[in-house]
Amino acid sequence: MAAKILLLALLALVSSQAIASDPSQLQDFCVADQNSQVFVNGLVCINPNLAKAEDFFFQGLDKPGNTMNKNGFNATLVTAMQIPGLNTLGISLARLDFAPYGLNPPHTHPRATELLTVIEGTLYVGFVASDNKLFTKVLNKGDVFVFPENLIHFQFNPSNANAVAISGLSSQNPGLITIANAVFGSNPPISDDILAKAFQLDKKTVDWLQTQF
Protein backbone atom coordinates (compact mmCIF):
# COMPACT_ATOMS: atom_id res chain seq x y z
CA MET A 1 0.00 0.00 0.00
CA ALA A 2 2.82 2.39 0.92
CA ALA A 3 4.56 1.61 -2.37
CA LYS A 4 1.38 2.49 -4.30
CA ILE A 5 1.05 5.79 -2.47
CA LEU A 6 4.70 6.60 -3.22
CA LEU A 7 4.19 5.72 -6.89
CA LEU A 8 1.11 7.95 -7.11
CA ALA A 9 2.99 10.82 -5.46
CA LEU A 10 5.85 10.49 -7.94
CA LEU A 11 3.43 10.40 -10.87
CA ALA A 12 1.71 13.54 -9.57
CA LEU A 13 5.07 15.29 -9.25
CA VAL A 14 6.09 14.36 -12.78
CA SER A 15 2.69 15.46 -14.12
CA SER A 16 2.90 18.82 -12.35
CA GLN A 17 6.33 19.45 -13.84
CA ALA A 18 5.05 18.59 -17.32
CA ILE A 19 2.05 20.89 -16.95
CA ALA A 20 4.32 23.74 -15.78
CA SER A 21 6.41 23.74 -18.96
CA ASP A 22 5.64 25.73 -22.11
CA PRO A 23 3.32 23.88 -24.50
CA SER A 24 4.79 22.61 -27.76
CA GLN A 25 3.65 23.90 -31.12
CA LEU A 26 0.43 22.30 -32.39
CA GLN A 27 0.81 23.82 -35.86
CA ASP A 28 3.59 25.13 -38.10
CA PHE A 29 2.98 28.75 -37.02
CA CYS A 30 0.45 31.02 -35.37
CA VAL A 31 0.61 34.44 -37.02
CA ALA A 32 -0.70 36.99 -34.52
CA ASP A 33 -3.99 38.74 -35.15
CA GLN A 34 -2.94 42.13 -33.82
CA ASN A 35 -6.46 43.53 -34.15
CA SER A 36 -8.15 40.87 -32.03
CA GLN A 37 -9.93 42.04 -28.87
CA VAL A 38 -9.64 38.58 -27.32
CA PHE A 39 -7.17 38.25 -24.42
CA VAL A 40 -5.19 35.02 -24.23
CA ASN A 41 -1.75 34.00 -22.96
CA GLY A 42 -0.02 35.30 -26.08
CA LEU A 43 -1.81 36.59 -29.17
CA VAL A 44 -4.72 35.12 -31.12
CA CYS A 45 -3.84 33.45 -34.45
CA ILE A 46 -5.16 34.47 -37.82
CA ASN A 47 -6.40 31.81 -40.23
CA PRO A 48 -3.13 30.15 -41.40
CA ASN A 49 -4.45 30.22 -44.96
CA LEU A 50 -4.26 34.02 -44.81
CA ALA A 51 -0.59 34.12 -43.74
CA LYS A 52 1.90 35.78 -46.07
CA ALA A 53 5.67 36.20 -46.21
CA GLU A 54 5.45 39.74 -44.78
CA ASP A 55 4.10 38.25 -41.53
CA PHE A 56 7.56 36.75 -40.93
CA PHE A 57 9.60 39.79 -42.01
CA PHE A 58 11.03 42.94 -40.43
CA GLN A 59 13.47 45.53 -41.74
CA GLY A 60 15.26 48.39 -40.06
CA LEU A 61 17.81 46.93 -37.65
CA ASP A 62 20.54 48.54 -39.77
CA LYS A 63 19.28 51.96 -38.61
CA PRO A 64 20.69 53.38 -35.32
CA GLY A 65 18.20 54.08 -32.55
CA ASN A 66 17.82 57.54 -31.02
CA THR A 67 20.15 57.79 -28.01
CA MET A 68 19.42 61.47 -27.30
CA ASN A 69 18.06 60.82 -23.81
CA LYS A 70 19.32 60.96 -20.22
CA ASN A 71 20.72 57.41 -20.39
CA GLY A 72 22.25 57.71 -23.87
CA PHE A 73 20.61 54.41 -24.81
CA ASN A 74 17.97 53.04 -27.16
CA ALA A 75 16.49 49.57 -27.71
CA THR A 76 14.82 48.69 -31.03
CA LEU A 77 12.60 45.70 -30.31
CA VAL A 78 11.60 42.92 -32.68
CA THR A 79 8.81 41.00 -30.93
CA ALA A 80 5.55 39.42 -32.03
CA MET A 81 4.17 42.95 -32.27
CA GLN A 82 6.70 43.76 -35.00
CA ILE A 83 6.79 40.29 -36.63
CA PRO A 84 3.35 38.65 -36.19
CA GLY A 85 4.83 35.30 -37.25
CA LEU A 86 6.91 35.21 -34.04
CA ASN A 87 3.74 34.54 -32.05
CA THR A 88 4.05 31.32 -29.94
CA LEU A 89 7.64 30.70 -31.10
CA GLY A 90 9.24 31.80 -27.82
CA ILE A 91 11.88 34.15 -29.22
CA SER A 92 12.47 37.85 -29.88
CA LEU A 93 15.29 40.23 -30.73
CA ALA A 94 16.54 43.73 -29.94
CA ARG A 95 19.11 46.15 -31.32
CA LEU A 96 20.81 48.07 -28.51
CA ASP A 97 22.41 51.44 -29.29
CA PHE A 98 24.69 53.22 -26.83
CA ALA A 99 25.98 56.77 -27.10
CA PRO A 100 29.41 57.40 -25.55
CA TYR A 101 29.08 56.54 -21.84
CA GLY A 102 25.50 55.41 -22.48
CA LEU A 103 23.78 53.10 -20.01
CA ASN A 104 21.05 50.46 -20.15
CA PRO A 105 20.17 50.74 -16.43
CA PRO A 106 19.80 47.74 -14.10
CA HIS A 107 16.69 45.85 -15.15
CA THR A 108 15.18 42.38 -15.50
CA HIS A 109 13.29 40.44 -18.15
CA PRO A 110 10.76 38.40 -16.12
CA ARG A 111 10.09 35.93 -18.93
CA ALA A 112 13.38 35.62 -20.83
CA THR A 113 17.05 34.76 -20.82
CA GLU A 114 19.07 37.25 -22.89
CA LEU A 115 22.02 36.45 -25.15
CA LEU A 116 23.93 39.61 -26.14
CA THR A 117 26.46 39.99 -28.95
CA VAL A 118 28.53 43.16 -29.39
CA ILE A 119 28.49 44.36 -33.01
CA GLU A 120 30.43 47.60 -32.58
CA GLY A 121 32.42 49.22 -29.78
CA THR A 122 32.91 48.10 -26.18
CA LEU A 123 30.45 47.31 -23.39
CA TYR A 124 30.87 46.70 -19.68
CA VAL A 125 28.08 44.29 -18.70
CA GLY A 126 27.00 42.35 -15.66
CA PHE A 127 24.27 40.59 -13.71
CA VAL A 128 23.57 39.88 -10.03
CA ALA A 129 22.75 36.34 -8.90
CA SER A 130 20.20 35.51 -6.19
CA ASP A 131 23.03 35.34 -3.61
CA ASN A 132 24.01 38.94 -4.58
CA LYS A 133 27.18 37.81 -6.37
CA LEU A 134 28.03 40.14 -9.25
CA PHE A 135 29.25 38.72 -12.56
CA THR A 136 30.82 41.31 -14.89
CA LYS A 137 32.79 41.36 -18.13
CA VAL A 138 34.14 43.90 -20.62
CA LEU A 139 32.96 42.91 -24.09
CA ASN A 140 34.43 43.88 -27.44
CA LYS A 141 33.22 43.39 -31.01
CA GLY A 142 32.17 39.78 -31.57
CA ASP A 143 31.99 38.91 -27.86
CA VAL A 144 28.88 37.21 -26.44
CA PHE A 145 27.44 37.28 -22.90
CA VAL A 146 24.35 35.64 -21.39
CA PHE A 147 22.01 37.14 -18.77
CA PRO A 148 19.97 34.41 -17.04
CA GLU A 149 16.19 34.81 -16.94
CA ASN A 150 14.79 37.34 -14.47
CA LEU A 151 18.15 38.31 -12.94
CA ILE A 152 19.04 42.00 -12.58
CA HIS A 153 21.54 43.03 -15.27
CA PHE A 154 22.95 46.10 -17.04
CA GLN A 155 25.08 47.24 -19.98
CA PHE A 156 27.31 50.33 -20.02
CA ASN A 157 29.41 51.89 -22.77
CA PRO A 158 32.68 52.95 -21.05
CA SER A 159 34.18 54.63 -24.11
CA ASN A 160 33.80 57.92 -26.02
CA ALA A 161 32.64 56.06 -29.17
CA ASN A 162 29.23 54.62 -29.98
CA ALA A 163 28.48 50.96 -29.27
CA VAL A 164 25.94 48.59 -30.81
CA ALA A 165 24.78 45.15 -29.68
CA ILE A 166 22.16 42.60 -30.70
CA SER A 167 20.24 40.71 -28.03
CA GLY A 168 18.30 37.49 -28.52
CA LEU A 169 15.58 36.82 -25.92
CA SER A 170 13.91 33.52 -25.13
CA SER A 171 10.35 34.85 -25.19
CA GLN A 172 8.12 36.55 -27.74
CA ASN A 173 7.27 38.99 -24.92
CA PRO A 174 10.24 39.09 -22.50
CA GLY A 175 8.95 41.98 -20.42
CA LEU A 176 11.07 44.73 -18.89
CA ILE A 177 11.30 45.92 -15.30
CA THR A 178 13.77 48.78 -14.85
CA ILE A 179 14.62 48.68 -11.16
CA ALA A 180 14.87 52.41 -10.38
CA ASN A 181 11.73 53.18 -12.39
CA ALA A 182 9.75 50.42 -10.67
CA VAL A 183 10.86 51.39 -7.16
CA PHE A 184 10.76 55.19 -7.38
CA GLY A 185 8.30 55.65 -10.23
CA SER A 186 5.48 53.26 -9.37
CA ASN A 187 1.89 54.43 -9.82
CA PRO A 188 0.60 55.04 -7.20
CA PRO A 189 3.93 55.72 -5.45
CA ILE A 190 5.35 53.37 -2.82
CA SER A 191 5.25 55.05 0.60
CA ASP A 192 8.35 57.15 1.24
CA ASP A 193 8.43 55.67 4.77
CA ILE A 194 8.90 52.22 3.26
CA LEU A 195 11.52 53.34 0.74
CA ALA A 196 13.42 55.40 3.33
CA LYS A 197 13.71 52.38 5.60
CA ALA A 198 14.48 49.93 2.76
CA PHE A 199 17.29 52.06 1.30
CA GLN A 200 18.43 53.63 4.59
CA LEU A 201 17.76 57.15 3.26
CA ASP A 202 15.97 60.15 4.71
CA LYS A 203 12.48 60.82 3.37
CA LYS A 204 13.50 64.07 1.66
CA THR A 205 15.99 62.14 -0.48
CA VAL A 206 13.34 59.54 -1.30
CA ASP A 207 10.84 62.26 -2.21
CA TRP A 208 13.41 63.87 -4.51
CA LEU A 209 14.19 60.53 -6.16
CA GLN A 210 10.49 59.90 -6.78
CA THR A 211 10.20 63.22 -8.61
CA GLN A 212 12.95 62.08 -11.02
CA PHE A 213 10.80 59.21 -12.29
Side-chain angles (χ1 to χ4, degrees):
M1 183 66 178
K4 287 184 178 179
I5 293 173
L6 179 60
L7 178 61
L8 288 172
L10 289 172
L11 287 172
L13 179 61
V14 170
S15 298
S16 68
Q17 293 299 315
I19 292 170
S21 64
D22 289 337
S24 59
Q25 287 284 102
L26 298 179
Q27 62 277 321
D28 290 342
F29 49 78
C30 172
V31 174
D33 181 354
Q34 297 175 334
N35 297 316
S36 175
Q37 299 301 307
V38 178
F39 289 92
V40 296
N41 187 23
L43 298 169
V44 175
C45 310
I46 66 170
N47 184 328
N49 294 325
L50 301 178
K52 51 191 182 302
E54 285 72 20
D55 293 324
F56 303 89
F57 174 76
F58 176 86
Q59 61 183 157
L61 281 192
D62 59 318
K63 297 177 176 62
N66 182 4
T67 57
M68 297 293 290
N69 54 63
K70 63 182 180 181
N71 288 321
F73 168 77
N74 183 276
T76 303
L77 299 177
V78 185
T79 69
M81 296 307 296
Q82 287 75 39
I83 302 182
L86 276 180
N87 191 35
T88 75
L89 297 184
I91 192 169
S92 56
L93 192 69
R95 170 178 170 142
L96 309 180
D97 285 281
F98 298 82
Y101 310 107
L103 171 69
N104 187 4
H107 63 281
T108 72
H109 302 295
R111 293 177 290 277
T113 292
E114 178 178 356
L115 191 65
L116 178 144
T117 304
V118 176
I119 304 301
E120 176 185 325
T122 299
L123 290 177
Y124 171 69
V125 306
F127 69 86
V128 181
S130 57
D131 61 359
N132 291 335
K133 182 176 180 179
L134 175 64
F135 296 80
T136 63
K137 193 75 176 175
V138 174
L139 307 180
N140 296 301
K141 182 177 179 180
D143 291 344
V144 179
F145 198 81
V146 64
F147 305 101
E149 181 175 339
N150 206 26
L151 295 186
I152 295 174
H153 60 283
F154 61 87
Q155 298 108 22
F156 172 67
N157 178 6
S159 75
N160 59 4
N162 292 333
V164 181
I166 297 291
S167 281
L169 299 135
S170 63
S171 171
Q172 73 177 56
N173 184 21
L176 174 68
I177 301 173
T178 302
I179 307 306
N181 295 33
V183 172
F184 295 106
S186 66
N187 185 20
I190 298 173
S191 164
D192 55 4
D193 289 313
I194 292 173
L195 294 180
K197 187 167 186 176
F199 289 93
Q200 298 296 293
L201 299 170
D202 62 82
K203 290 207 293 184
K204 286 185 178 180
T205 302
V206 170
D207 293 340
W208 179 82
L209 285 168
Q210 287 179 318
T211 65
Q212 305 307 300
F213 296 93

